[in-house]
mmCIF file of all heavy atoms in Angstrom:
data_model
loop_
_atom_site.group_PDB
_atom_site.id
_atom_site.type_symbol
_atom_site.label_atom_id
_atom_site.label_comp_id
_atom_site.label_asym_id
_atom_site.label_seq_id
_atom_site.Cartn_x
_atom_site.Cartn_y
_atom_site.Cartn_z
ATOM 1 N N LEU A 91 -3.798 25.332 -8.846
ATOM 2 C CA LEU A 91 -2.839 24.241 -9.029
ATOM 3 C C LEU A 91 -1.758 24.273 -7.954
ATOM 4 O O LEU A 91 -1.329 23.233 -7.449
ATOM 5 C CB LEU A 91 -2.215 24.336 -10.424
ATOM 6 C CG LEU A 91 -3.180 24.061 -11.590
ATOM 7 C CD1 LEU A 91 -2.551 24.468 -12.915
ATOM 8 C CD2 LEU A 91 -3.593 22.595 -11.628
ATOM 9 N N ALA A 92 -1.323 25.496 -7.596
ATOM 10 C CA ALA A 92 -0.287 25.614 -6.565
ATOM 11 C C ALA A 92 -0.787 25.135 -5.204
ATOM 12 O O ALA A 92 -0.005 24.670 -4.366
ATOM 13 C CB ALA A 92 0.177 27.075 -6.457
ATOM 14 N N ALA A 93 -2.101 25.230 -4.983
ATOM 15 C CA ALA A 93 -2.670 24.788 -3.702
ATOM 16 C C ALA A 93 -2.776 23.273 -3.617
ATOM 17 O O ALA A 93 -3.034 22.730 -2.538
ATOM 18 C CB ALA A 93 -4.049 25.416 -3.495
ATOM 19 N N GLY A 94 -2.580 22.604 -4.766
ATOM 20 C CA GLY A 94 -2.580 21.143 -4.708
ATOM 21 C C GLY A 94 -3.660 20.451 -5.526
ATOM 22 O O GLY A 94 -3.845 19.239 -5.396
ATOM 23 N N SER A 95 -4.361 21.196 -6.391
ATOM 24 C CA SER A 95 -5.346 20.519 -7.237
ATOM 25 C C SER A 95 -4.618 19.749 -8.333
ATOM 26 O O SER A 95 -3.508 20.114 -8.742
ATOM 27 C CB SER A 95 -6.320 21.520 -7.848
ATOM 28 O OG SER A 95 -5.693 22.302 -8.841
ATOM 29 N N ASP A 96 -5.261 18.694 -8.826
ATOM 30 C CA ASP A 96 -4.663 17.865 -9.866
ATOM 31 C C ASP A 96 -5.003 18.369 -11.265
ATOM 32 O O ASP A 96 -4.330 18.013 -12.240
ATOM 33 C CB ASP A 96 -5.126 16.416 -9.709
ATOM 34 C CG ASP A 96 -4.608 15.810 -8.412
ATOM 35 O OD1 ASP A 96 -5.182 16.101 -7.346
ATOM 36 O OD2 ASP A 96 -3.616 15.073 -8.463
ATOM 37 N N ASP A 97 -6.075 19.173 -11.370
ATOM 38 C CA ASP A 97 -6.451 19.740 -12.666
ATOM 39 C C ASP A 97 -7.375 20.917 -12.408
ATOM 40 O O ASP A 97 -7.903 21.078 -11.292
ATOM 41 C CB ASP A 97 -7.128 18.689 -13.550
ATOM 42 C CG ASP A 97 -7.018 19.027 -15.032
ATOM 43 O OD1 ASP A 97 -6.596 20.159 -15.350
ATOM 44 O OD2 ASP A 97 -7.361 18.175 -15.854
ATOM 45 N N TYR A 98 -7.582 21.718 -13.466
ATOM 46 C CA TYR A 98 -8.355 22.949 -13.315
ATOM 47 C C TYR A 98 -9.149 23.151 -14.603
ATOM 48 O O TYR A 98 -8.557 23.320 -15.674
ATOM 49 C CB TYR A 98 -7.400 24.112 -13.083
ATOM 50 C CG TYR A 98 -8.022 25.334 -12.461
ATOM 51 C CD1 TYR A 98 -7.816 25.647 -11.120
ATOM 52 C CD2 TYR A 98 -8.795 26.211 -13.213
ATOM 53 C CE1 TYR A 98 -8.360 26.784 -10.538
ATOM 54 C CE2 TYR A 98 -9.351 27.347 -12.646
ATOM 55 C CZ TYR A 98 -9.114 27.635 -11.313
ATOM 56 O OH TYR A 98 -9.662 28.764 -10.735
ATOM 57 N N LEU A 99 -10.461 23.118 -14.525
ATOM 58 C CA LEU A 99 -11.320 23.274 -15.702
ATOM 59 C C LEU A 99 -12.273 24.433 -15.439
ATOM 60 O O LEU A 99 -12.886 24.518 -14.374
ATOM 61 C CB LEU A 99 -12.114 21.984 -15.949
ATOM 62 C CG LEU A 99 -13.041 21.953 -17.166
ATOM 63 C CD1 LEU A 99 -12.244 22.165 -18.462
ATOM 64 C CD2 LEU A 99 -13.788 20.611 -17.232
ATOM 65 N N THR A 100 -12.382 25.331 -16.429
ATOM 66 C CA THR A 100 -13.217 26.513 -16.232
ATOM 67 C C THR A 100 -14.594 26.348 -16.889
ATOM 68 O O THR A 100 -14.741 25.643 -17.888
ATOM 69 C CB THR A 100 -12.526 27.758 -16.805
ATOM 70 O OG1 THR A 100 -12.231 27.542 -18.189
ATOM 71 C CG2 THR A 100 -11.235 28.048 -16.049
ATOM 72 N N LYS A 101 -15.583 27.018 -16.303
ATOM 73 C CA LYS A 101 -16.943 27.058 -16.842
ATOM 74 C C LYS A 101 -17.066 28.247 -17.785
ATOM 75 O O LYS A 101 -16.447 29.282 -17.520
ATOM 76 C CB LYS A 101 -17.955 27.218 -15.705
ATOM 77 C CG LYS A 101 -17.922 26.143 -14.657
ATOM 78 C CD LYS A 101 -18.861 26.518 -13.514
ATOM 79 C CE LYS A 101 -18.815 25.510 -12.396
ATOM 80 N NZ LYS A 101 -19.610 25.935 -11.221
ATOM 81 N N PRO A 102 -17.866 28.127 -18.854
ATOM 82 C CA PRO A 102 -18.594 26.926 -19.268
ATOM 83 C C PRO A 102 -17.643 25.854 -19.810
ATOM 84 O O PRO A 102 -16.533 26.171 -20.246
ATOM 85 C CB PRO A 102 -19.529 27.450 -20.354
ATOM 86 C CG PRO A 102 -18.814 28.631 -20.913
ATOM 87 C CD PRO A 102 -18.090 29.253 -19.764
ATOM 88 N N PHE A 103 -18.101 24.598 -19.761
ATOM 89 C CA PHE A 103 -17.220 23.503 -20.153
ATOM 90 C C PHE A 103 -17.983 22.498 -21.003
ATOM 91 O O PHE A 103 -19.216 22.449 -20.972
ATOM 92 C CB PHE A 103 -16.662 22.804 -18.906
ATOM 93 C CG PHE A 103 -17.739 22.163 -18.047
ATOM 94 C CD1 PHE A 103 -18.027 20.816 -18.165
ATOM 95 C CD2 PHE A 103 -18.468 22.923 -17.158
ATOM 96 C CE1 PHE A 103 -19.010 20.225 -17.390
ATOM 97 C CE2 PHE A 103 -19.462 22.353 -16.372
ATOM 98 C CZ PHE A 103 -19.733 21.008 -16.489
ATOM 99 N N HIS A 104 -17.258 21.737 -21.754
ATOM 100 C CA HIS A 104 -17.844 20.624 -22.509
ATOM 101 C C HIS A 104 -17.782 19.380 -21.632
ATOM 102 O O HIS A 104 -16.725 19.076 -21.068
ATOM 103 C CB HIS A 104 -17.090 20.390 -23.813
ATOM 104 C CG HIS A 104 -17.241 21.501 -24.809
ATOM 105 N ND1 HIS A 104 -18.407 21.726 -25.522
ATOM 106 C CD2 HIS A 104 -16.380 22.472 -25.195
ATOM 107 C CE1 HIS A 104 -18.260 22.759 -26.314
ATOM 108 N NE2 HIS A 104 -17.038 23.250 -26.122
ATOM 109 N N PHE A 105 -18.899 18.659 -21.539
ATOM 110 C CA PHE A 105 -18.926 17.499 -20.651
ATOM 111 C C PHE A 105 -17.896 16.454 -21.059
ATOM 112 O O PHE A 105 -17.286 15.803 -20.202
ATOM 113 C CB PHE A 105 -20.323 16.876 -20.614
ATOM 114 C CG PHE A 105 -20.556 16.107 -19.359
ATOM 115 C CD1 PHE A 105 -21.030 16.737 -18.223
ATOM 116 C CD2 PHE A 105 -20.259 14.753 -19.281
ATOM 117 C CE1 PHE A 105 -21.211 16.048 -17.048
ATOM 118 C CE2 PHE A 105 -20.431 14.053 -18.103
ATOM 119 C CZ PHE A 105 -20.905 14.701 -16.991
ATOM 120 N N SER A 106 -17.695 16.296 -22.358
ATOM 121 C CA SER A 106 -16.712 15.309 -22.817
ATOM 122 C C SER A 106 -15.313 15.655 -22.301
ATOM 123 O O SER A 106 -14.518 14.762 -22.001
ATOM 124 C CB SER A 106 -16.707 15.227 -24.341
ATOM 125 O OG SER A 106 -16.418 16.497 -24.908
ATOM 126 N N GLU A 107 -15.022 16.969 -22.183
ATOM 127 C CA GLU A 107 -13.708 17.360 -21.667
ATOM 128 C C GLU A 107 -13.602 17.055 -20.177
ATOM 129 O O GLU A 107 -12.554 16.623 -19.694
ATOM 130 C CB GLU A 107 -13.445 18.849 -21.914
ATOM 131 C CG GLU A 107 -12.041 19.265 -21.452
ATOM 132 C CD GLU A 107 -11.727 20.722 -21.744
ATOM 133 O OE1 GLU A 107 -12.624 21.448 -22.225
ATOM 134 O OE2 GLU A 107 -10.583 21.127 -21.473
ATOM 135 N N LEU A 108 -14.707 17.279 -19.448
ATOM 136 C CA LEU A 108 -14.693 16.947 -18.014
ATOM 137 C C LEU A 108 -14.409 15.459 -17.821
ATOM 138 O O LEU A 108 -13.568 15.078 -16.995
ATOM 139 C CB LEU A 108 -16.040 17.311 -17.376
ATOM 140 C CG LEU A 108 -16.212 16.869 -15.917
ATOM 141 C CD1 LEU A 108 -15.191 17.536 -15.007
ATOM 142 C CD2 LEU A 108 -17.643 17.176 -15.438
ATOM 143 N N VAL A 109 -15.096 14.625 -18.586
ATOM 144 C CA VAL A 109 -14.895 13.172 -18.473
ATOM 145 C C VAL A 109 -13.459 12.804 -18.838
ATOM 146 O O VAL A 109 -12.820 11.987 -18.164
ATOM 147 C CB VAL A 109 -15.896 12.418 -19.371
ATOM 148 C CG1 VAL A 109 -15.560 10.921 -19.419
ATOM 149 C CG2 VAL A 109 -17.318 12.628 -18.877
ATOM 150 N N ALA A 110 -12.940 13.418 -19.897
ATOM 151 C CA ALA A 110 -11.565 13.110 -20.329
ATOM 152 C C ALA A 110 -10.556 13.512 -19.252
ATOM 153 O O ALA A 110 -9.580 12.791 -19.009
ATOM 154 C CB ALA A 110 -11.265 13.843 -21.631
ATOM 155 N N ARG A 111 -10.780 14.652 -18.622
ATOM 156 C CA ARG A 111 -9.846 15.078 -17.572
ATOM 157 C C ARG A 111 -9.932 14.160 -16.348
ATOM 158 O O ARG A 111 -8.917 13.867 -15.712
ATOM 159 C CB ARG A 111 -10.137 16.529 -17.183
ATOM 160 C CG ARG A 111 -9.694 17.523 -18.254
ATOM 161 C CD ARG A 111 -10.091 18.941 -17.869
ATOM 162 N NE ARG A 111 -9.705 19.896 -18.886
ATOM 163 C CZ ARG A 111 -8.722 20.785 -18.754
ATOM 164 N NH1 ARG A 111 -8.022 20.815 -17.635
ATOM 165 N NH2 ARG A 111 -8.443 21.644 -19.709
ATOM 166 N N ILE A 112 -11.137 13.727 -16.000
ATOM 167 C CA ILE A 112 -11.283 12.782 -14.888
ATOM 168 C C ILE A 112 -10.541 11.484 -15.209
ATOM 169 O O ILE A 112 -9.797 10.947 -14.383
ATOM 170 C CB ILE A 112 -12.772 12.500 -14.614
ATOM 171 C CG1 ILE A 112 -13.437 13.744 -14.023
ATOM 172 C CG2 ILE A 112 -12.936 11.302 -13.674
ATOM 173 C CD1 ILE A 112 -14.937 13.618 -13.872
ATOM 174 N N ASP A 113 -10.737 10.987 -16.415
ATOM 175 C CA ASP A 113 -10.057 9.754 -16.821
ATOM 176 C C ASP A 113 -8.536 9.919 -16.763
ATOM 177 O O ASP A 113 -7.806 9.006 -16.365
ATOM 178 C CB ASP A 113 -10.484 9.351 -18.235
ATOM 179 C CG ASP A 113 -11.916 8.862 -18.299
ATOM 180 O OD1 ASP A 113 -12.486 8.567 -17.220
ATOM 181 O OD2 ASP A 113 -12.470 8.786 -19.406
ATOM 182 N N ALA A 114 -8.058 11.103 -17.175
ATOM 183 C CA ALA A 114 -6.606 11.342 -17.165
ATOM 184 C C ALA A 114 -6.065 11.359 -15.736
ATOM 185 O O ALA A 114 -4.987 10.822 -15.468
ATOM 186 C CB ALA A 114 -6.305 12.668 -17.862
ATOM 187 N N ILE A 115 -6.804 11.980 -14.818
ATOM 188 C CA ILE A 115 -6.376 12.013 -13.412
ATOM 189 C C ILE A 115 -6.302 10.595 -12.854
ATOM 190 O O ILE A 115 -5.327 10.206 -12.211
ATOM 191 C CB ILE A 115 -7.338 12.870 -12.571
ATOM 192 C CG1 ILE A 115 -7.200 14.342 -12.956
ATOM 193 C CG2 ILE A 115 -7.054 12.692 -11.078
ATOM 194 C CD1 ILE A 115 -8.230 15.236 -12.292
ATOM 195 N N VAL A 116 -7.342 9.831 -13.112
ATOM 196 C CA VAL A 116 -7.382 8.456 -12.602
ATOM 197 C C VAL A 116 -6.252 7.635 -13.204
ATOM 198 O O VAL A 116 -5.597 6.846 -12.517
ATOM 199 C CB VAL A 116 -8.744 7.812 -12.924
ATOM 200 C CG1 VAL A 116 -8.725 6.326 -12.573
ATOM 201 C CG2 VAL A 116 -9.851 8.532 -12.175
ATOM 202 N N ARG A 117 -6.005 7.855 -14.489
ATOM 203 C CA ARG A 117 -4.939 7.100 -15.155
ATOM 204 C C ARG A 117 -3.578 7.425 -14.530
ATOM 205 O O ARG A 117 -2.782 6.524 -14.281
ATOM 206 C CB ARG A 117 -4.936 7.427 -16.642
ATOM 207 C CG ARG A 117 -4.018 6.539 -17.468
ATOM 208 C CD ARG A 117 -4.376 6.613 -18.946
ATOM 209 N NE ARG A 117 -4.427 7.969 -19.448
ATOM 210 C CZ ARG A 117 -5.535 8.588 -19.850
ATOM 211 N NH1 ARG A 117 -6.701 7.957 -19.802
ATOM 212 N NH2 ARG A 117 -5.498 9.814 -20.316
ATOM 213 N N ARG A 118 -3.348 8.699 -14.258
ATOM 214 C CA ARG A 118 -2.072 9.087 -13.638
ATOM 215 C C ARG A 118 -1.939 8.469 -12.254
ATOM 216 O O ARG A 118 -0.884 7.987 -11.870
ATOM 217 C CB ARG A 118 -1.984 10.607 -13.539
ATOM 218 C CG ARG A 118 -1.801 11.316 -14.870
ATOM 219 C CD ARG A 118 -1.260 12.733 -14.656
ATOM 220 N NE ARG A 118 -2.171 13.561 -13.909
ATOM 221 C CZ ARG A 118 -3.125 14.308 -14.452
ATOM 222 N NH1 ARG A 118 -3.299 14.297 -15.763
ATOM 223 N NH2 ARG A 118 -3.909 15.067 -13.706
ATOM 224 N N LYS A 119 -3.019 8.497 -11.496
ATOM 225 C CA LYS A 119 -2.978 7.937 -10.147
ATOM 226 C C LYS A 119 -2.779 6.437 -10.187
ATOM 227 O O LYS A 119 -2.063 5.864 -9.360
ATOM 228 C CB LYS A 119 -4.263 8.277 -9.393
ATOM 229 C CG LYS A 119 -4.426 9.756 -9.103
ATOM 230 C CD LYS A 119 -3.317 10.251 -8.187
ATOM 231 C CE LYS A 119 -3.464 11.731 -7.913
ATOM 232 N NZ LYS A 119 -2.345 12.267 -7.069
ATOM 233 N N THR A 120 -3.427 5.805 -11.145
ATOM 234 C CA THR A 120 -3.279 4.356 -11.270
ATOM 235 C C THR A 120 -1.855 3.987 -11.629
ATOM 236 O O THR A 120 -1.272 3.057 -11.083
ATOM 237 C CB THR A 120 -4.236 3.814 -12.348
ATOM 238 O OG1 THR A 120 -5.566 4.167 -12.002
ATOM 239 C CG2 THR A 120 -4.119 2.296 -12.452
ATOM 240 N N GLU A 121 -1.268 4.758 -12.565
ATOM 241 C CA GLU A 121 0.109 4.484 -12.959
ATOM 242 C C GLU A 121 1.058 4.722 -11.797
ATOM 243 O O GLU A 121 2.015 3.987 -11.591
ATOM 244 C CB GLU A 121 0.481 5.372 -14.143
ATOM 245 C CG GLU A 121 -0.242 4.960 -15.431
ATOM 246 C CD GLU A 121 -0.097 6.002 -16.528
ATOM 247 O OE1 GLU A 121 0.355 7.124 -16.215
ATOM 248 O OE2 GLU A 121 -0.462 5.684 -17.670
ATOM 249 N N THR A 122 0.779 5.748 -10.973
ATOM 250 C CA THR A 122 1.603 6.041 -9.811
ATOM 251 C C THR A 122 1.579 4.899 -8.819
ATOM 252 O O THR A 122 2.563 4.550 -8.190
ATOM 253 C CB THR A 122 1.123 7.330 -9.128
ATOM 254 O OG1 THR A 122 1.208 8.407 -10.066
ATOM 255 C CG2 THR A 122 1.969 7.657 -7.922
ATOM 256 N N ARG A 123 0.405 4.291 -8.674
ATOM 257 C CA ARG A 123 0.299 3.173 -7.729
ATOM 258 C C ARG A 123 1.014 1.939 -8.245
ATOM 259 O O ARG A 123 1.205 0.981 -7.502
ATOM 260 C CB ARG A 123 -1.171 2.831 -7.467
ATOM 261 C CG ARG A 123 -1.904 3.850 -6.635
ATOM 262 C CD ARG A 123 -3.169 3.236 -6.049
ATOM 263 N NE ARG A 123 -4.045 2.721 -7.074
ATOM 264 C CZ ARG A 123 -5.076 3.395 -7.568
ATOM 265 N NH1 ARG A 123 -5.326 4.604 -7.139
ATOM 266 N NH2 ARG A 123 -5.851 2.867 -8.477
#
Side-chain angles (χ1 to χ4, degrees):
L91 292 168
S95 71
D96 295 78
D97 203 350
Y98 200 104
L99 182 60
T100 57
K101 302 173 183 174
F103 63 97
H104 292 287
F105 204 87
S106 58
E107 183 177 5
L108 173 62
V109 172
R111 287 176 181 251
I112 290 173
D113 290 345
I115 291 173
V116 172
R117 189 162 53 248
R118 289 199 297 270
K119 293 297 179 183
T120 302
E121 290 168 348
T122 301
R123 288 199 302 263

